[in-house]
Amino acid sequence: MMENVIIVGSGPAGLTAALYTAREGLNPLVISGMAFGGQLQLTTVVENFPAFPDGIPGPDLVMRIRNQAQKFGARFIDEDLTGIEADGDPFKVMVNEKEYESRSIIIATGASAKWLGLDSEQRLIGRGVSSCATCDGPLYRNKKVAVVGGGDTAMEDSLFLSKFAREVIIIHRRDKFRASKILQSRVMSTSNIKIRWNSIVDEVIGSEFVKGIRIKDTVNGTLDEIQIDGLFVAIGHAPNTSFLKGKLKLDEKGYIITRDEVFTDIPGIFVAGDVADKRYRQAITAAASGAKAALEVRAFLM
Ligand code: NAP
């Protein structure tokens, strides 16, 4: 069977593309992946998605969009994509041993936050460990939090968190930030942001929820424990594009190079969401680009 459109990915971008293409009667097939829902699965309450004044848990938000898309006929395969043929006519998408042919594809595989890689960090994700200050920051009103990283994201996250938290401690592995000067100077002039230079997080402390962190000095190796209520890891994101190497144009960090936000260099292959967006990375902007990609698929198939 020849599909009209296969959507790869199931965060807000892929699901909104599914909703739009389903309502167009295109009967989309979504390869949603084993980790259905993307980064929203890792967030607690989303308070900045319009229409939810009381906030909505990230996993509930993606499930609602999925149900909405399903209602209009979107079909889902909850497995990971194992390969893609982007040069053929038709395009081919492989999922384990099965091959699916399609007239068009929307790639919405998102990006993944980079983590420190500590077992204790992984165990406490969603229980005080977060990679999304915009999503989870307001939950830390009058609390003490730490942010790991020295780039623009770490600075922006710290500034955002400083509006809610009693104290924000930036943990950075060197004695210099790589962030833009303007963000650095804002951080330096914010009274409730403190900086621990030459430091890495060695262990996240807490059984059910984060209670503190153990910090190691990168110069002299000394260990130190500090009590915190939340740990924000802001050491960068990596787009989920390894399966596209040599097939689509990617930039040096692996993001898909697009034209007018949703077009790739191959007619019929479109892009939505964080897989091509290193700037905004919000659920609402991803959903919006999913809608745009879907509208371009409609135009392409006409
Ligand atoms: P980034 O610039 O790659 O910075 C990552 C930071 O995390 C670096 O300071 C790095 O330390 C640190 N780091 C990396 N791996 C680490 C590890 N395993 N343990 C401890 N620290 C680690 O990433 P980003 O801040 O997310 O920014 C990504 C891009 O988006 C940049 O181009 C940035 O300019 C852009 N951005 C722009 C804005 C804005 O313009 N408003 C906002 C956000 C992001 P080192 O410095 O020692 O390498």
Side-chain angles (χ1 to χ4, degrees), residues 118 120 200-204 214-216 223:
L118 303 167
S120 51
I200 55 168
V201 176
D202 184 60
E203 181 76 13
V204 187
R214 191 172 66 205
I215 291 173
K216 187 175 179 180
L223 296 172

Short mmCIF file of all heavy atoms in Angstrom, two decimals, residues 118 120 200-204 214-216 223:
data_model
loop_
_atom_site.label_atom_id
_atom_site.label_comp_id
_atom_site.label_asym_id
_atom_site.label_seq_id
_atom_site.Cartn_x
_atom_site.Cartn_y
_atom_site.Cartn_z
N LEU A 118 24.91 10.57 34.69
CA LEU A 118 25.01 9.92 36.00
C LEU A 118 23.76 9.06 36.23
O LEU A 118 22.65 9.47 35.88
CB LEU A 118 25.07 10.98 37.11
CG LEU A 118 26.19 12.01 37.04
CD1 LEU A 118 25.91 13.15 38.01
CD2 LEU A 118 27.51 11.32 37.37
N SER A 120 22.30 8.52 39.03
CA SER A 120 21.42 9.24 39.96
C SER A 120 20.63 10.34 39.24
O SER A 120 19.48 10.60 39.55
CB SER A 120 22.24 9.85 41.11
OG SER A 120 23.32 10.60 40.60
N ILE A 200 32.03 20.23 38.62
CA ILE A 200 31.10 19.34 37.93
C ILE A 200 30.22 18.64 38.96
O ILE A 200 30.62 18.49 40.12
CB ILE A 200 31.82 18.27 37.06
CG1 ILE A 200 32.82 17.47 37.91
CG2 ILE A 200 32.50 18.89 35.85
CD1 ILE A 200 33.35 16.24 37.19
N VAL A 201 29.03 18.24 38.51
CA VAL A 201 28.15 17.47 39.40
C VAL A 201 28.61 16.02 39.35
O VAL A 201 28.68 15.41 38.28
CB VAL A 201 26.68 17.60 38.98
CG1 VAL A 201 25.79 16.73 39.86
CG2 VAL A 201 26.24 19.06 39.04
N ASP A 202 28.91 15.50 40.52
CA ASP A 202 29.48 14.17 40.64
C ASP A 202 28.40 13.15 41.00
O ASP A 202 28.49 11.97 40.66
CB ASP A 202 30.53 14.28 41.76
CG ASP A 202 31.31 13.04 41.97
OD1 ASP A 202 31.97 12.60 41.02
OD2 ASP A 202 31.24 12.50 43.09
N GLU A 203 27.34 13.66 41.66
CA GLU A 203 26.26 12.77 42.11
C GLU A 203 25.03 13.63 42.43
O GLU A 203 25.17 14.74 42.96
CB GLU A 203 26.72 12.05 43.40
CG GLU A 203 25.74 11.08 44.02
CD GLU A 203 25.67 9.74 43.27
OE1 GLU A 203 26.54 9.48 42.42
OE2 GLU A 203 24.71 8.99 43.52
N VAL A 204 23.84 13.13 42.07
CA VAL A 204 22.61 13.81 42.50
C VAL A 204 22.10 13.04 43.71
O VAL A 204 21.99 11.81 43.69
CB VAL A 204 21.55 13.81 41.37
CG1 VAL A 204 20.36 14.66 41.78
CG2 VAL A 204 22.14 14.33 40.06
N ARG A 214 26.33 16.43 44.84
CA ARG A 214 27.73 16.43 45.24
C ARG A 214 28.53 17.02 44.08
O ARG A 214 28.33 16.64 42.92
CB ARG A 214 28.19 15.00 45.54
CG ARG A 214 29.56 14.98 46.21
CD ARG A 214 29.92 13.59 46.68
NE ARG A 214 30.09 12.71 45.54
CZ ARG A 214 29.93 11.39 45.59
NH1 ARG A 214 29.59 10.78 46.70
NH2 ARG A 214 30.11 10.65 44.51
N ILE A 215 29.40 17.97 44.43
CA ILE A 215 30.14 18.70 43.41
C ILE A 215 31.62 18.39 43.55
O ILE A 215 32.15 18.31 44.66
CB ILE A 215 29.92 20.22 43.60
CG1 ILE A 215 28.49 20.57 43.25
CG2 ILE A 215 30.85 21.02 42.73
CD1 ILE A 215 28.18 22.00 43.58
N LYS A 216 32.25 18.22 42.40
CA LYS A 216 33.69 17.95 42.41
C LYS A 216 34.41 19.14 41.78
O LYS A 216 34.02 19.60 40.70
CB LYS A 216 33.97 16.69 41.60
CG LYS A 216 35.38 16.23 41.66
CD LYS A 216 35.49 14.91 40.91
CE LYS A 216 36.89 14.41 40.92
NZ LYS A 216 37.00 13.15 40.20
N LEU A 223 35.63 17.34 47.01
CA LEU A 223 34.19 17.10 46.90
C LEU A 223 33.45 17.96 47.92
O LEU A 223 33.98 18.23 48.99
CB LEU A 223 33.88 15.62 47.16
CG LEU A 223 34.45 14.62 46.16
CD1 LEU A 223 34.23 13.20 46.65
CD2 LEU A 223 33.81 14.81 44.79
#
